[in-house]
Amino acid sequence: MPEMSTVVDTPLTTEDQAELLECERIIENGLKTFYEVGEALAAIRDKRLYRAEFATFEDYCQQMWQMSRSRAYRLIDASEVAHNLSPIGDIPINEAQARPLTELDPEAQRVVWEVVQQTAPAGKVTASHVKSVATVFKEVITTQAIDNGSGEQIKVSDVAKAAVVEETYERMKRQEAYIVEKLTRKGTGGK
């Protein structure tokens, strides 16, 4: 995260404040554009709102917006990803970041996006990083194995079993500590 600079004590003029608000409005609208466009295209497609003037959704996109059918569907799919991720916080800032997630089910999208945010190089999410994490996720799911770093594959079930054993051991230790603490308090008259 970039370091916060100190606040300059020179107040903004009324014109500066107005310009700042306008610039921020443009930025906000720009950040929302890909998923808002995708949502609008989905509504037009799903409700066949193009039907009065165009025979097909593809004709509508091509003639009205000079947009190919595949581009329209990529925007629709990306908007669905953004909608799915919005409850967990930050969403992709552009369609290219959302695109690799479109091949995953909603739960997998959320898992991959959380990993992307945690592992983004220098904290900056890029489309190529999203694609890389999504590829690794799909490979792990397909092979049911994780590379141990030496090229050998470890079964996911073995990793899960080890995690369950470790968690069980930790819980038992916490429970033992709790019992010892209760007995100690009881022996000293404390509650």
Side-chain angles (χ1 to χ4, degrees):
M1 179 174 255
E3 194 173 307
M4 297 295 290
S5 61
T6 57
V7 177
V8 178
D9 60 348
T10 307
L12 294 177
T13 64
T14 304
E15 294 82 24
D16 289 341
Q17 289 174 345
E19 184 175 4
L20 174 63
L21 289 173
E22 177 61 15
C23 289
E24 288 176 341
R25 185 192 62 76
I26 291 168
I27 292 167
E28 182 177 9
N29 288 340
L31 291 175
K32 291 180 180 177
T33 298
F34 85 90
Y35 62 87
E36 289 176 340
V37 169
E39 287 175 347
L41 287 168
I44 291 167
R45 178 198 63 193
D46 296 347
K47 296 175 182 175
R48 298 186 60 239
L49 300 176
Y50 56 82
R51 69 184 181 273
E53 296 182 45
F54 301 95
T56 66
F57 178 65
E58 183 175 352
D59 290 344
Y60 167 78
C61 291
Q62 184 61 50
Q63 293 175 34
M64 188 71 179
W65 306 111
Q66 292 73 51
M67 181 185 303
S68 69
R69 178 184 186 278
S70 61
R71 173 74 176 135
Y73 276 89
R74 281 195 308 268
L75 286 165
I76 291 168
D77 291 346
S79 72
E80 290 170 357
V81 167
H83 178 75
N84 179 47
L85 297 178
S86 63
I88 64 171
D90 293 334
I91 62 171
I93 61 169
N94 57 50
E95 183 259 334
Q97 287 181 355
R99 190 178 314 141
L101 301 174
T102 62
E103 301 170 7
L104 304 171
D105 66 62
E107 180 60 29
Q109 290 173 358
R110 290 187 287 272
V111 169
V112 169
W113 186 247
E114 287 176 5
V115 172
V116 163
Q117 291 181 306
Q118 293 168 5
T119 61
K124 181 169 173 43
V125 174
T126 63
S128 62
H129 183 62
V130 176
K131 183 177 181 180
S132 176
V133 174
T135 299
V136 169
F137 181 86
K138 287 187 280 189
E139 287 174 3
V140 168
I141 295 301
T142 301
T143 64
Q144 291 294 301
I146 299 172
D147 185 322
N148 70 358
S150 69
E152 293 181 35
Q153 299 288 312
I154 301 171
K155 289 182 182 179
V156 172
S157 60
D158 291 342
V159 173
K161 183 169 50 174
V164 168
V165 167
E166 183 177 339
E167 178 63 20
T168 301
Y169 177 77
E170 291 297 321
R171 286 184 182 190
M172 288 171 51
K173 287 299 192 187
R174 287 192 302 270
Q175 189 175 31
E176 285 176 13
Y178 175 76
I179 291 168
V180 168
E181 181 183 332
K182 282 293 230 184
L183 290 174
T184 304
R185 282 189 199 160
K186 189 175 182 180
T188 61
K191 291 187 181 187

